[in-house]
Amino acid sequence: MENIRKKTVVYTHYVDGIVEPLREAISKAGWTVGVYSGDDKTGLDAFRTGDTDVLIGTSTIGTGVDGLQFVSSR
């Protein structure tokens, strides 16, 4: 978890069986975590406004999510 800092996007191509373990591990390390995937898009706004430290994104995020490039370069 040493590579995670505030405003980190964690991308995973895989969804089934990986998003929840990632969320749990990152949360356990002390970070607030949001998700932006095909089924769960709840984390994007909180990440953009600074209320969430880390965003886990799946291939859905690769479609050009407006504003994400202005809040994270990691």
Side-chain angles (χ1 to χ4, degrees), residues 23-62:
R23 183 198 312 241
E24 289 175 16
I26 295 167
S27 292
K28 191 178 253 187
W31 301 101
T32 56
V33 184
V35 174
Y36 190 84
S37 68
D39 293 336
D40 183 357
K41 295 178 175 59
T42 59
L44 182 62
D45 288 336
F47 184 75
R48 286 194 297 204
T49 61
D51 294 330
T52 299
D53 299 321
V54 178
L55 183 67
I56 299 171
T58 63
S59 59
T60 304
I61 211 164

